[in-house]
């Protein structure tokens, strides 16, 4: 055989390999240099809430380890959709990222076509920061001490027990909606404009029950103003030792665990996403971060990029079904 015929395929293979390497080189170089300037961190909620506290804590660590400032920009409003719109339209280069909660996937179903972005197509998940365990809580006047007793009482008084939430389609609303659908009880939803009014109404006895994040109600539970019945997560909470999960208290399979995570615009180079994910996970393992999160009744929840995006997919479907079930929407 003519040697030229043997050499030609070899040269072609080498050229393809070189081209592929050259094509990947810009992304790899970008990731190695990243970040080379200030990173804008949009938190689509007001300062002081769980998203803000967790986001600032972790982003401060990234500023220290990566040598560039990760500057928080609070852009609250419309359940986080105003800030999310900013990130969706930002350049996909890793210099604009977002700290958002489970509400992000719920908004797709609550707002529908009113959103100016696509929750799925316009973002990529970077990694999870923390879980926000929710707890089924009642006013002390309600004669129940467990989830089983609450369900039994609700069945004996259909339509007579009210529960508060922080708004239609909010995590507390959907957590209770899931309990209602799985247990067959009939209780009345009373939405409020935010978590603080929701809890205030419960403590005042305007409503008898509510779901809330552990961090929101822990002090009221400790001083006896509210009574915890069960956790919405599948794991116990260090902040509420002795309080069982709802799944272990008569509703097998119950799992509604709100979270806080980091997002980037779709199309952000994978090496940059991977670098951010690795640094976030390192920060979440630091003893002072773990302690500070636990003081806020939040659970550090490091994840891989793939794990977080899988969670987004599952919760997108779960929230969609629950929102359809409740009929919640923004007019």
């Amino acid at each position: 055989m003519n040697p030229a015929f043997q050499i030609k395929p070899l040269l072609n293979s080498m050229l393809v390999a070189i081209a592929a390497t050259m094509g990947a080189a810009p992304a790899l170089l970008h990731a190695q240099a990243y970040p080379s300037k200030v990173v804008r961190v949009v938190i689509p909620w007001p300062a002081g809430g769980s998203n803000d506290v967790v986001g600032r804590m972790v982003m401060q660590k990234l500023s220290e380890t990566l040598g560039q400032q990760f500057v928080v920009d609070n852009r609250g409003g419309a359940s986080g959709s105003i800030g999310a719109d900013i990130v969706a339209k930002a350049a996909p280069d890793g210099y604009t990222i977002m700290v958002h909660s489970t509400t992000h996937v719920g908004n797709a179903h609550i707002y529908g076509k009113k959103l100016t972005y696509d929750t799925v197509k316009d973002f990529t998940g970077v990694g999870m920061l923390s879980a926000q365990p929710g707890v089924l809580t009642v006013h002390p006047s309600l004669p129940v001490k467990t989830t089983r007793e609450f369900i039994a009482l609700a069945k004996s008084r259909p339509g007579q027990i009210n529960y508060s939430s922080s708004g239609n389609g909010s995590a507390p609303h959907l957590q209770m909606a899931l309990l209602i659908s799985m247990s067959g009880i009939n209780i009345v939803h009373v939405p409020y404009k935010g978590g603080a009014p929701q809890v205030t109404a419960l403590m005042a006895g305007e409503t008898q029950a509510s779901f809330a994040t552990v961090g929101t109600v822990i002090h009221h539970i400790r001083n006896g103003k509210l009574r915890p019945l069960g956790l919405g997560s599948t794991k116990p909470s260090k902040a509420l030792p002795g309080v069982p999960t709802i799944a272990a208290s008569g509703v097998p399979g119950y799992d509604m665990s709100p979270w806080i995570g980091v997002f980037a615009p779709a199309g952000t180079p994978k090496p940059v996403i991977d670098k951010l994910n690795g640094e976030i996970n390192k920060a979440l393992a630091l003893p002072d971060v773990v302690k500070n999160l636990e003081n806020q009744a939040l659970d550090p929840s490091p994840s891989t990029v793939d794990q977080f995006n899988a969670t987004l997919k599952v919760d997108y479907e779960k929230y969609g079904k629950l929102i359809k079930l409740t009929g919640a929407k923004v007019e």
Side-chain angles (χ1 to χ4, degrees):
M1 180 181 291
N2 189 330
F5 290 104
Q6 294 177 316
I7 294 172
K8 189 174 182 180
L10 180 60
L11 287 173
N12 287 339
S13 298
M14 291 174 64
L15 289 171
V16 169
I18 291 170
T21 302
M22 291 177 68
L28 291 172
L29 289 172
H30 183 72
Q32 289 170 358
Y34 176 86
S36 59
K37 60 182 181 179
V38 172
V39 178
R40 181 188 189 188
V41 183
V42 176
I43 299 182
W45 301 97
S50 296
N51 288 261
D52 185 63
V53 170
V54 176
R56 287 178 183 275
M57 193 184 307
V58 173
M59 294 306 149
Q60 176 59 37
K61 296 299 182 183
L62 265 61
S63 295
E64 294 170 5
T65 58
L66 292 175
Q68 289 290 346
Q69 291 298 306
F70 282 67
V71 179
V72 169
D73 181 6
N74 292 97
R75 293 297 183 100
S79 295
S81 60
I82 292 176
D85 177 71
I86 293 171
V87 179
K89 293 176 170 57
D93 55 9
Y95 290 97
T96 302
I97 59 178
M98 174 174 73
V99 175
H100 208 343
S101 63
T102 327
T103 304
H104 183 53
V105 295
N107 281 347
H109 306 285
I110 290 289
Y111 287 87
K113 294 181 180 179
K114 292 182 175 66
L115 286 183
T116 54
Y117 56 84
D118 188 303
T119 303
V120 176
K121 295 179 181 178
D122 292 341
F123 299 88
T124 183
V126 175
M128 196 176 290
L129 295 180
S130 70
Q132 300 187 87
V135 58
L136 173 60
T137 312
V138 297
H139 189 272
S141 64
L142 203 68
V144 296
K145 293 184 178 180
T146 68
T147 302
R148 282 190 179 88
E149 291 178 358
F150 176 75
I151 291 171
L153 182 67
K155 286 184 175 180
S156 71
R157 302 180 186 178
Q160 296 180 35
I161 295 176
N162 296 335
Y163 75 95
S164 53
S165 82
S166 53
N168 281 322
S170 64
H173 180 200
L174 299 182
Q175 286 170 314
M176 191 67 85
L178 181 60
L179 180 62
I180 290 169
S181 68
M182 293 182 72
S183 64
I185 59 176
N186 175 15
I187 58 179
V188 180
H189 180 215
V190 183
Y192 288 80
K193 294 182 178 180
Q198 162 202 349
V199 175
T200 299
L202 180 60
M203 289 195 296
E206 294 176 15
T207 57
Q208 292 83 53
S210 182
F211 268 93
T213 58
V214 174
T216 303
V217 293
I218 185 66
H219 298 296
H220 306 309
I221 289 172
R222 287 172 177 167
N223 63 26
K225 292 183 178 180
L226 295 175
R227 179 184 301 140
L229 302 185
L231 294 161
S233 59
T234 57
K235 299 177 181 179
S237 170
K238 291 182 180 179
L240 289 175
V243 177
T245 65
I246 291 173
S249 307
V251 192
Y254 185 96
D255 179 17
M256 195 76 173
S257 304
W259 41 257
I260 298 170
V262 178
F263 297 80
T268 300
K270 187 177 185 302
V272 171
I273 297 293
D274 289 340
K275 187 169 187 177
L276 279 170
N277 176 269
E279 294 299 327
I280 287 168
N281 289 342
K282 288 178 186 177
L284 291 173
L286 295 172
D288 61 324
V289 172
V290 172
K291 182 178 180 180
N292 287 334
L293 285 175
E294 290 180 347
N295 286 342
Q296 300 286 332
L298 296 166
D299 297 330
S301 303
S303 71
T304 66
V305 174
D306 289 344
Q307 286 170 339
F308 184 44
N309 280 292
T311 296
L312 295 177
K313 184 177 180 180
V314 169
D315 283 357
Y316 181 88
E317 297 297 330
K318 180 188 289 186
Y319 272 56
K321 290 176 182 177
L322 283 173
I323 289 167
K324 185 177 181 179
L325 178 70
T326 63
K329 60 182 178 180
V330 173
E331 298 294 346

